[in-house]
Amino acid sequence: MSMTDDIAPEPSEKATKLRMVDCDIHPALKHKKALHPYLEQRWRQHLDEFGALAHCVYATRGGPYPRFTPETARRDAWPPNGNPPGSDLEFMQTQHLDAHGIEYGILQPIVGANNARNTDLSAALCTATNRWQVDEFTSRDPRLKASIHIGAEDAELAVAEIERWAGDRNFAQIQLGSRSVEPIGRKRYWPIFEAAVRNDMPIGFHVGGPSPYAPSPSGWPDYYLEDHHVLTHSAHAQVSSMILEGVFELFPRLRVVMIEAGFAWVPSLGWRLDNHWRKLRTETPLCKRPPSEYLRQNVWFTTQPADEPERREDLRFLFEQIGFDRMMFATDYPHWDFDDPERALVMPMSKDERQMLFRGNAMKFYANLD
């Protein structure tokens, strides 16, 4: 159930007893130049004179759809100091981490650092973003773990950024967007996957990204409702690309999670790919097994936004089809479609299944949580 209004519940007995890992928390910059202290002078000057030259604006001021203002956030998410939602650690601690008994939270920064048009600038912004996460959040609250922000379009620079932070216990994963200039399974991206496996770091694909192309095969949507829905299609495409182009065959220990992309599409994607693969498998020699096997072995999913059918039993059936051990809880705090851990995912679950969903799976999946 998505919660769109003021939500600041007192922690219930259930919430305080069940320790949780929130796999999708969005930290925000206090102001537009918050990354400047982490940038060389030439990049500060570049941004002041030319801007970031991003292909599109995602989840920032000035977006093309109403959802992007104000700040994509819950109405009650503004800290008392007036800074943007997600930018004030103390308020985040009070409103979310403490209130909901969050044991660990995975930060997913969306700050415009991943720039496909100027990869040198993108690399500098990603490094700045990673240093900022540590200084502002993870060094001040050990419950929070950062994501290694990288720009996928220059694999050499991306690998250098992974190597810079992979041994740092402040970081739990590598972060990519679900939209890229080319399908992510292409060979030019493979060094990123190799670096992830070498450093035993999972990759989180958060919906969105710096792709220059319209999100819909038919062009740009007219309405935010359309735009919000087709975001998930990029996750379908990236999962299919990694499977069919042999990423999981070449890197069998690679772990990826699709974040904020829904999950009701997962079983049917596996069925459809298997059906086509049986007929056309000679075209994809690096996909040596039925695609659904790679989907089940290498890919995880977060629960927000929860696809919740009217009948609770149908939701449980969906989880069984994907696998309870492949689902990880997320809230999307502080965004407007935040999922309250005490109200979302209402369905029949055993104690062991609930523990897997809200904590156990994430503890196994992510690095540096123990």
Side-chain angles (χ1 to χ4, degrees), residues 79-186:
N81 59 21
N83 287 333
S87 66
D88 186 277
L89 176 60
E90 291 185 1
F91 190 71
M92 180 188 294
Q93 289 168 329
T94 300
Q95 186 179 54
H96 183 47
L97 301 179
D98 297 339
H100 295 115
I102 304 300
E103 182 180 7
Y104 289 108
I106 310 299
L107 298 179
Q108 310 282 351
I110 305 177
V111 295
N114 194 340
N115 187 315
R117 295 175 66 178
N118 185 332
T119 57
D120 289 329
L121 172 60
S122 179
L125 286 169
C126 285
T127 300
T129 300
N130 294 330
R131 289 174 173 162
W132 164 77
Q133 289 182 83
V134 174
D135 283 357
E136 292 292 324
F137 295 95
T138 63
S139 65
R140 297 169 57 196
D141 192 323
R143 290 175 293 184
L144 296 175
K145 296 294 183 179
S147 297
I148 303 176
H149 209 40
I150 62 171
E153 303 312 324
D154 189 318
E156 182 178 356
L157 295 176
V159 170
E161 192 66 16
I162 292 170
E163 298 294 345
R164 188 193 314 274
W165 301 105
D168 191 320
R169 293 190 63 81
N170 286 288
F171 292 86
Q173 69 172 358
I174 300 160
Q175 182 185 0
L176 285 172
S178 67
R179 300 180 65 216
S180 48
V181 173
E182 295 184 78
I184 203 68
R186 296 280 171 86

Side-chain angles (χ1 to χ4, degrees), residues 28 54 96 167 185 217 223 262 267-268 277 297 307 312 324 346 353:
H96 183 47
Y223 306 105
S268 60
W277 175 81
Q297 173 184 294
D307 300 308
R312 298 176 183 179
F324 265 92
V346 179
E353 289 167 341

Side-chain angles (χ1 to χ4, degrees), residues 32-40 43-45 47-48:
K32 291 183 178 181
K33 293 189 176 184
L35 293 181
H36 276 43
Y38 305 96
L39 294 169
E40 296 178 12
W43 292 124
R44 295 198 296 269
Q45 182 177 349
L47 291 171
D48 289 342

